[in-house]
């Protein structure tokens, strides 16, 4: 079996700071995703990538950038952290083209706190 | 656009009682429906996925039936266990759309 590793697990930043989250998967999956998890709002898609160097905006992409340097890694950058923001960011991957029929495999999440 | 609705934010049950978590959806095409479960401090993981041939998926005592007529995929279990306490997400994906759509999630709390 494979694994998705997210780093860091906890990230504390200052208002206005640029912050980067990293995700690595060893499933050899084509498609990777970044979701934001907020209580009562479900999982909202920020960015996804269907192959190396591809980037697609999700519903919540404003305020974020992403990078898919290689097949196994997918990074997310918060371009300007908002004061008092707290959120959990989940990385996921899928074996299928576009994830239509297959399941998502998730990492354990990165928790962001902005002071 | 596609959407998934989970009406209950929190469900509290006594151990041994039946579980039913609601999920309804709207979709342009014929989607696949999923249930994901997330235990505290763990990654979400797949619990169930709908079949194309009307079979009822089952896993760890949970089952769900896709009813296209009512656009529903409710999660059920005959007897709740303490270890079932977790956050449950209903989700869909459909043809021509690389994006999964998730519901808001239902937190299930099972008490002794």
């Amino acid at each position: 079996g494979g694994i998705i590793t997210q780093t860091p697990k906890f990230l504390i930043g200052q208002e206005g700071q640029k912050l980067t989250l990293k995700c690595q998967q060893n499933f050899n999956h084509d498609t990777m995703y970044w979701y934001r998890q907020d209580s009562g709002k479900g999982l909202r898609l920020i960015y996804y990538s269907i192959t190396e160097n591809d980037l697609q905006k999700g519903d919540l992409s404003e305020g974020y950038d992403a990078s898919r340097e290689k097949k196994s890694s997918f990074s997310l950058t918060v371009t300007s952290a908002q004061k008092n923001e707290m959120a959990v960011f989940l990385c996921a991957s899928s074996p299928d083209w576009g994830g239509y029929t297959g399941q998502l495999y998730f990492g354990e999440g990165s928790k962001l706190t902005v002071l | 656009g596609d959407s998934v609705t989970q009406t209950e934010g929190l469900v509290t049950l006594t151990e041994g009682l039946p579980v039913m978590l609601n999920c309804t959806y709207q979709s342009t095409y014929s989607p696949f429906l999923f249930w994901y479960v997330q235990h505290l401090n763990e990654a979400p993981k797949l619990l169930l996925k709908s079949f194309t041939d009307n079979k009822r998926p089952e896993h760890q005592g949970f089952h769900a039936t896709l009813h296209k007529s009512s656009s529903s995929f409710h999660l059920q279990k005959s007897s709740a266990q303490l270890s079932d306490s977790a956050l449950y997400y209903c989700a869909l994906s459909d043809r021509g759309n690389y994006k999964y759509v998730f519901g808001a999630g239902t937190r299930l709390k099972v008490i002794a």
Side-chain angles (χ1 to χ4, degrees):
Chain A
I3 190 169
I4 293 184
T5 303
Q6 292 186 232
T7 55
K9 201 159 185 159
F10 300 96
L11 183 58
I12 299 175
Q14 303 290 328
E15 184 182 13
Q17 195 175 359
K18 181 184 284 190
L19 303 165
T20 298
L21 306 172
K22 295 186 183 294
C23 177
Q24 294 272 344
Q25 54 100 356
N26 62 1
F27 288 101
N28 199 35
H29 289 167
D30 286 316
T31 312
M32 295 185 74
Y33 306 78
W34 276 107
Y35 285 92
R36 176 173 165 140
Q37 181 177 35
D38 293 283
S39 178
K41 295 184 179 177
L43 304 182
R44 292 180 290 173
L45 183 64
I46 306 172
Y47 267 95
Y48 66 102
S49 168
I50 60 177
T51 189
E52 182 179 334
N53 294 320
D54 174 75
L55 291 175
Q56 306 286 339
K57 291 183 178 180
D59 300 320
L60 207 66
S61 61
E62 188 170 336
Y64 302 95
D65 285 329
S67 174
R68 184 92 182 265
E69 308 90 358
K70 49 187 179 179
K71 188 175 181 178
S72 62
S73 68
F74 194 29
S75 299
L76 180 73
T77 297
V78 179
T79 56
S80 179
Q82 301 297 305
K83 188 173 175 63
N84 297 323
E85 181 176 6
M86 276 184 66
V88 175
F89 295 89
L90 290 169
C91 178
S93 69
S94 173
D96 294 289
W97 177 250
Y100 169 39
T101 61
Q103 67 180 82
L104 291 175
Y105 294 81
F106 285 92
E108 292 187 349
S110 294
K111 186 171 183 178
L112 171 67
T113 302
V114 182
L115 302 175
Chain B
D2 294 347
S3 66
V4 175
T5 301
Q6 294 179 250
T7 51
E8 311 107 339
L10 172 66
V11 172
T12 303
L13 285 174
T14 302
E15 191 178 15
L17 289 181
V19 178
M20 180 157 160
L21 305 184
N22 292 318
C23 174
T24 56
Y25 65 91
Q26 282 189 304
S27 179
T28 307
Y29 302 104
S30 291
F32 281 92
L33 272 292
F34 304 81
W35 277 100
Y36 286 85
V37 58
Q38 185 180 25
H39 289 94
L40 194 61
N41 297 323
E42 294 184 9
K45 57 187 178 185
L46 180 70
L47 181 61
L48 292 173
K49 173 187 165 185
S50 64
F51 289 112
T52 54
D53 58 359
N54 296 322
K55 286 182 186 171
R56 189 178 81 169
E58 295 193 30
H59 185 62
Q60 296 178 343
F62 286 94
H63 62 267
T65 302
L66 181 61
H67 289 288
K68 294 181 181 178
S69 58
S70 57
S71 299
S72 67
F73 191 58
H74 304 320
L75 182 67
Q76 295 177 274
K77 187 177 184 183
S78 59
S79 176
Q81 298 177 284
L82 294 174
S83 58
D84 294 331
S85 295
L87 183 56
Y88 291 81
Y89 287 107
C90 184
L92 70 79
S93 68
D94 68 19
R95 176 166 47 91
N97 184 350
Y98 298 128
K99 303 181 290 183
Y100 287 73
V101 177
F102 284 83
T106 297
R107 186 167 296 281
L108 175 65
K109 184 178 178 182
V110 181
I111 57 177

